[in-house]
Amino acid sequence: MKKFANMIIDKDFRISRIDKRIYGSFIEHLGRAVYTGIYQPGHPAADENGFRKDVMQLVKELNVPIIRYPGGNFVSSFVWEDSVGPVEQRPKRLELAWRSLETNEIGMNEFAKWTKAVDSEIMMAINLGTRGVADACNLLEYCNHPSGTKYSDLRISHGVKDPLGIKTWCLGNEMDGPWQLGAKTPEEYGRLAQETAKAMKLIDPTIELVSCGSSNTGMPTFPQWEATTLEHTYDYVDFVSLHQYFGNPDNDTEDFLALSMEMDHFIKTVIATCDFVKAKKRGKKDINLSFDEWNVWFHSNAGDNDTMKNRPWQQAPALLEDRYTFEDALLVGLMLITLIKHSDRVRMACLAQLVNVIAPIMTEKDGGAWTQTIYYPYLHASRYGRGIALQPVLNSSKHDTKGYTDVTDVESVAVWNEEAEELTIFAVNRDLKDDIVLTCDIGSFAGYDVVEHLVLECDDLKATNSADAQRVAPKCQSGTTVDGRTVTASLHKASWNVIRLAKR
Ligand code: AHR
């Protein structure tokens, strides 16, 4: 059967103005994310604070609007008081989530300084695994209260006069997961999160709170977890979290590239559950979605289990250092398209993570920083995906995979930057054999013409990048045209495409 993709994009088919925070990311005290990742005093690229300038430069290019911190599973044994004050007095700790040694050399204030230096802001997670309401309140008072109280004055005594002003707070992490320290039943978590949220909003009513959702769609308690916990937290929180990682352990690329449909199903189910709770409570507000961990993660699993089991308590061991393939970048692109398509309710999202740990940016301890395959779709979406998300009317040929039926060969979404008069079409051809011609009616965008067509493609689906070679990097494709009201582009087999148009 002939493969095809026809599309209509119209200024009136608005999904939403995208909240830039959907291009967020995540730094956890895990592996080499912090130590020898963002921070390495003595490295030739380190600044006066020990932060690696080569890493900062790559982060800045991504224009990351918000960064989740300090975990992740790490947060469930995080004692924030250990991470502030004179560095030489900070205790070393057994870090239980990743069975590593935490030196606390980098803590709250250092991370806030780094975040500012990369023009971002913090999404702070609190420990609701092994700690509770009082500790959350103390931390919030330390971070956000101006002065004149025990914890705000403690911050000032640590040399940080101005409040950190952290607006976004996650109420724990993956509290449904048996692997989580202090994991809870939905009832236990719902009550604890409700009481914590209530107290935190008394301290600072301007903050936004994220209630913990399911760790992934495979959790046995999904989606009852969301229904039960939100019944407790609905009045106090603004977001519910979603986490999802995908892998291709069976080497079935067609099935792997269909997994964005699972993400779509996850988002739709959580929206439905939030709206059910709203209706039940006769509520007025929508609970929005914070997809605050998403990525491909599987390459490093076996090695990591071995390290944690047999060589525990190392400082900054190499953990979760997935080497991403070209096909991983395609799925990351598909996941970004899915997030943009749901940008009316997904108002925050974090690519997990940012540096060295399942990351777009890698560092060599004794060398430079370099970019993985997945860096590029993330860069393109963050750079060109700001503005109004437009719902395309897409008619694409389809195929079935082992786990999914009616998988479109082409997946796409468009973003209109009204002010700059720019229109960007993001499209993935996930067919592995054939190029497909995309024709797109852009009749409501009279006078728009092609600026460039960026493409990420590679003959080898398993190609990876390294410190020495960028085998997978974007290039410009010629031949994309606008004729009257129709854009015509060849979407090469297995490719990520960014078709940039602007008013001439
Ligand atoms: O991002 C790695 C880990 O994945 C996080 O610590 C945890 O929240 C999730 O399971």
Side-chain angles (χ1 to χ4, degrees):
M1 194 193 71
K2 184 151 170 43
K3 293 166 186 164
F4 60 90
N6 308 317
M7 203 158 83
I8 305 169
I9 292 170
D10 193 284
K11 285 180 177 172
D12 286 337
F13 301 169
R14 287 170 180 239
I15 299 168
S16 173
R17 183 170 284 280
I18 294 169
D19 187 324
K20 66 177 183 183
R21 293 177 298 175
I22 71 166
Y23 304 119
S25 191
F26 180 23
I27 293 273
E28 177 165 3
H29 280 248
L30 193 187
R32 300 194 307 115
V34 174
Y35 307 108
T36 72
I38 65 169
Y39 174 76
Q40 193 177 349
H43 187 278
D47 70 6
E48 69 283 6
N49 298 305
F51 295 135
R52 283 185 63 153
K53 287 186 281 187
D54 51 352
V55 174
M56 282 199 269
Q57 186 52 37
L58 290 170
V59 174
K60 276 188 183 173
E61 271 169 42
L62 288 171
N63 194 5
V64 186
I66 194 162
I67 303 177
R68 192 161 174 256
Y69 179 81
N73 296 338
F74 171 85
V75 83
S76 290
S77 58
F78 181 51
V79 180
W80 70 266
E81 297 89 334
D82 292 348
S83 84
V84 294
V87 176
E88 59 288 357
Q89 288 170 24
R90 296 182 195 169
K92 292 190 174 65
R93 284 266 190 169
L94 292 182
E95 198 293 290
L96 303 185
W98 306 104
R99 304 194 81 216
S100 305
L101 184 77
E102 176 54 54
T103 61
N104 284 303
E105 223 177 312
I106 290 289
M108 269 316 309
N109 294 316
E110 292 80 17
F111 190 71
K113 196 182 260 183
W114 180 81
T115 311
K116 207 167 167 201
V118 295
D119 304 324
S120 192
E121 65 179 69
I122 299 178
M123 175 193 284
M124 187 70 200
I126 58 162
N127 178 353
L128 284 191
T130 56
R131 304 190 90 188
V133 184
D135 302 305
C137 289
N138 297 345
L139 175 59
L140 177 59
E141 184 184 311
Y142 182 91
C143 291
N144 283 12
H145 196 71
S147 65
T149 64
K150 174 171 172 176
Y151 289 102
S152 57
D153 287 346
L154 183 64
R155 182 196 70 239
I156 293 167
S157 77
H158 292 157
V160 184
K161 186 169 161 289
D162 295 329
L164 303 182
I166 299 174
K167 288 285 162 229
T168 315
W169 295 76
C170 301
L171 298 166
N173 177 70
E174 296 189 347
M175 299 305 304
D176 61 333
W179 58 86
Q180 199 69 218
L181 280 166
K184 310 228 173 327
T185 65
E187 283 292 345
E188 287 167 347
Y189 174 73
R191 284 288 302 128
L192 177 60
Q194 174 186 359
E195 292 308 316
T196 309
K198 191 168 84 186
M200 289 176 78
K201 285 222 166 159
L202 285 171
I203 295 173
D204 184 351
T206 68
I207 56 173
E208 291 192 310
L209 295 175
V210 185
S211 195
C212 247
S214 295
S215 297
N216 56 67
T217 47
M219 298 303 291
T221 46
F222 171 73
Q224 188 59 50
W225 172 276
E226 280 77 0
T228 306
T229 58
L230 283 172
E231 286 210 19
H232 292 289
T233 59
Y234 175 85
D235 287 327
Y236 303 97
V237 304
D238 308 280
F239 291 88
V240 63
S241 71
L242 299 83
H243 291 182
Q244 187 85 59
Y245 295 99
F246 293 126
N248 187 12
D250 299 331
N251 195 18
D252 181 341
T253 302
E254 286 198 340
D255 208 40
F256 176 63
L257 295 180
L259 285 168
S260 57
M261 291 171 77
E262 185 68 24
M263 186 187 210
D264 182 68
H265 153 73
F266 192 6
I267 292 171
K268 285 177 176 153
T269 308
V270 174
I271 291 172
T273 311
C274 289
D275 292 351
F276 163 76
V277 175
K278 176 186 176 187
K280 198 169 169 194
K281 293 210 162 253
R282 312 291 187 258
K284 294 255 185 299
K285 69 171 184 192
D286 283 336
I287 299 291
N288 284 322
L289 278 54
S290 172
F291 214 123
D292 48 45
E293 286 190 37
W294 68 271
N295 201 348
V296 173
W297 173 19
F298 74 109
H299 298 285
S300 61
N301 291 168
D304 292 341
N305 291 338
D306 180 55
T307 302
M308 288 188 284
K309 182 162 180 253
N310 299 315
R311 291 176 299 285
W313 318 128
Q314 300 178 58
Q315 196 215 342
L319 289 175
L320 281 70
E321 297 205 7
D322 284 44
R323 284 292 160 110
Y324 287 112
T325 61
F326 167 60
E327 69 181 19
D328 296 335
L330 291 179
L331 184 61
V332 163
L334 287 159
M335 293 174 88
L336 283 160
I337 289 174
T338 308
L339 291 170
I340 295 170
K341 281 191 161 174
H342 286 289
S343 56
D344 54 335
R345 291 298 289 274
V346 179
R347 307 298 289 171
M348 299 195 291
C350 302
L351 174 70
Q353 299 189 9
L354 189 55
V355 181
N356 285 337
V357 169
I358 42 174
I361 298 169
M362 300 297 290
T363 66
E364 301 295 306
K365 198 171 168 211
D366 302 313
W370 55 276
T371 52
Q372 297 236 49
T373 62
I374 63 167
Y375 182 89
Y376 296 106
Y378 181 39
L379 172 77
H380 293 154
S382 178
R383 192 174 277 178
Y384 305 118
R386 312 247 174 159
I388 295 162
L390 298 175
Q391 182 70 54
V393 179
L394 174 63
N395 186 17
S396 164
S397 46
K398 295 177 177 150
H399 60 272
D400 292 344
T401 69
K402 196 170 152 204
Y404 297 88
T405 49
D406 284 337
V407 182
T408 55
D409 293 332
V410 168
E411 188 51 82
S412 181
V413 74
V415 178
W416 176 32
N417 184 332
E418 212 173 348
E419 297 75 33
E421 298 194 295
E422 288 173 2
L423 176 68
T424 302
I425 300 169
F426 298 103
V428 173
N429 177 0
R430 57 183 151 191
D431 191 279
L432 302 180
K433 294 193 194 75
D434 294 313
D435 298 351
I436 297 178
V437 174
L438 170 74
T439 57
C440 181
D441 182 328
I442 56 160
S444 65
F445 289 93
Y448 276 61
D449 207 349
V450 176
V451 175
E452 62 179 349
H453 177 169
L454 297 166
V455 65
L456 197 66
E457 61 183 335
C458 187
D459 286 341
D460 179 2
L461 289 169
K462 308 296 180 190
T464 57
N465 290 345
S466 68
D468 307 316
Q470 288 277 296
R471 286 182 70 197
V472 182
K475 58 187 186 199
C476 281
Q477 180 179 312
S478 58
T480 300
T481 58
V482 179
D483 187 4
R485 55 190 294 155
T486 308
V487 180
T488 306
S490 173
L491 306 181
H492 294 170
K493 66 180 180 185
S495 62
W496 159 257
N497 300 268
V498 183
I499 302 170
R500 298 185 53 226
L501 305 140
K503 182 132 183 190
R504 292 288 189 214

